[in-house]
Amino acid sequence: MMRVARSVLALLFAVAVLYGMQHTRPLYSDITSPIVASGGMNRRVEASAFALSLDRVRVARVLNVETFGKSKTYTSSGVWLVVEGEAEAKFETLGLTSGEWLSGSGVRYVLTDRVPATIEMMPGDVYQPGLPRHVLLMFEVPEDAVAGGTVVVARTKLLPLDDEIRIATNVSGRDIEPELTIRRNHKGPSWTVLPQR
Amino acid sequence: MDSSPAKVTSARRGYWPSMAALVVALPAALAAQTWGSIRDWRAQHVRQPVSATLGQPIDYAGASWTVTRFTRLTGIERSTVVLAEFEARAADPKALGAIPCEVRLADGSREWKPTLFADPVLRQQYPEAEQRSLCGGIAFAAMEPGQPARMVASFSIPAAASSLTLSIALYSALPNYLSVSEPQP
């Protein structure tokens, strides 16, 4: 009788353990999610393969892009976010192809594909070890996604367990400029954001 | 349930041989399962340098390779451009051209990939670079057997980087790769 009771108890225990394991099992996306390094504005944030710092985030209703003597105006039903900073590869040449704006409510917005690649934006650039390079990221987002947003940068969205840098911005969403102009330079920094501040 | 003494003794007798078999079978199963991944990792990470000297031909991947130039050009601000020229004479240039080729510059802790020919320093100081090909298919496309296929690679690196090594790897010859050190002034 005791032996039967012991077997039933052992069986119940095993079922309870399996049930617990099944319900606390992390999702595959959690297991392979990027390794995040976080920081704030005007600070160099280090991941294992690259480092990133962001100096300025500006918000505007209209974006003008001047390149090769031509100017084009981009309007939006939301606003334009123009983010400037510096990135550096640490050990090998790499590209940073994934940039996202993570709103305070958790919605992700990818880099805009409306602005032509003639302006050197982050996804098209190559970063060499030991040579920090200016980065320019542009997002088109709804006005209510601006305040408390975070910039998320990674080499690619496809590599599991790869580096990801998250930089919390300090934009309030109230300081929206009527328009910004991005001018491509022939010498010095690749672009200038006007009006200068 | 039969729990006769004979059965119990037989079960006890089989216990330790079974445990010993488990010690062998478990690692063997793990090894069989991960062998493919280990082989892939080895192919990607384990490399064997074949040392070459600037200007001296050396046989590698079915061709005779010569690194003819390995020099620094004047750079901008904190960066400098390193230029490497090399040629390969192959008995079967078409076959060699079908093999992916990887050229890198390293200083011991960092590794640079070649830049494209868009670098203004390179365009200014070495305009003929645009007439040369990067290592790989195009360089060998129009070549006859025994004719030298001339290639070039340029790198943008920090001016302070030292102890540079140029590496040329053809995937068919891995884990071996050609390794040439920067000549000292």
Side-chain angles (χ1 to χ4, degrees), chain A residues 4 13 16 26 38 44 50 59 61 84-85 101 122 131 141 165 184 187-188:
Chain A
V4 173
F13 177 72
S38 302
R44 184 178 156 106
F50 68 97
V59 193
R61 298 207 182 274
E84 291 178 275
W101 179 266
M122 197 189 68
L131 296 176
V141 304
I165 287 182
R184 184 172 176 88
K187 282 184 179 172

Side-chain angles (χ1 to χ4, degrees), chain B residues 60 65 67 86 101-103 135 166-170 177-179:
Chain B
Y60 171 70
W65 294 77
V67 175
F86 45 96
C101 177
E102 189 184 274
V103 183
C135 188
L166 176 78
S167 66
I168 302 168
L170 269 87
Y177 68 92
L178 275 187
S179 171

Side-chain angles (χ1 to χ4, degrees), chain B residues 66-172:
Chain B
T66 312
V67 175
T68 52
R69 191 172 177 187
F70 188 177
T71 186
R72 291 182 190 224
L73 306 178
T74 314
I76 310 169
E77 293 171 12
R78 292 169 297 165
S79 73
T80 190
V81 173
V82 171
L83 180 73
E85 285 182 288
F86 45 96
E87 58 183 46
R89 291 169 194 268
D92 188 352
K94 299 270 183 303
L96 203 63
I99 301 161
C101 177
E102 189 184 274
V103 183
R104 297 283 185 269
L105 188 71
D107 73 347
S109 61
R110 298 174 293 184
E111 195 178 82
W112 293 270
K113 289 181 187 173
T115 54
L116 299 174
F117 298 124
D119 195 306
V121 172
L122 186 69
R123 275 200 310 238
Q124 205 172 37
Q125 296 183 34
Y126 185 66
E128 58 269 43
E130 288 185 48
Q131 312 300 322
R132 299 280 175 87
S133 304
L134 289 168
C135 188
I138 300 168
F140 297 100
M143 291 298 137
E144 294 297 321
Q147 214 180 356
R150 295 197 172 92
M151 293 160 276
V152 69
S154 68
F155 305 87
S156 187
I157 67 164
S162 58
S163 307
L164 298 175
T165 308
L166 176 78
S167 66
I168 302 168
L170 269 87
Y171 283 18
S172 64

Side-chain angles (χ1 to χ4, degrees), chain B residues 20-34:
Chain B
L22 202 60
V23 169
V24 177
L26 209 60
L30 275 174
Q33 189 72 25
T34 53

Side-chain angles (χ1 to χ4, degrees), chain A residues 93-136:
Chain A
T93 306
L94 52 84
L96 298 172
T97 62
S98 172
E100 291 176 329
W101 179 266
L102 181 62
S103 76
S105 58
V107 181
R108 285 171 181 260
Y109 299 89
V110 295
L111 290 163
T112 182
D113 59 357
R114 289 180 60 194
V115 180
T118 42
I119 288 287
E120 286 186 38
M121 283 170 68
M122 197 189 68
D125 287 348
V126 172
Y127 299 88
Q128 306 286 358
L131 296 176
R133 183 173 182 162
H134 291 292
V135 292
L136 176 66

Side-chain angles (χ1 to χ4, degrees), chain B residues 43-76:
Chain B
Q44 279 177 22
H45 295 92
V46 178
R47 300 280 165 100
Q48 194 67 41
V50 176
S51 293
T53 315
L54 188 69
Q56 297 297 311
I58 187 165
D59 288 337
Y60 171 70
S64 173
W65 294 77
T66 312
V67 175
T68 52
R69 191 172 177 187
F70 188 177
T71 186
R72 291 182 190 224
L73 306 178
T74 314
I76 310 169

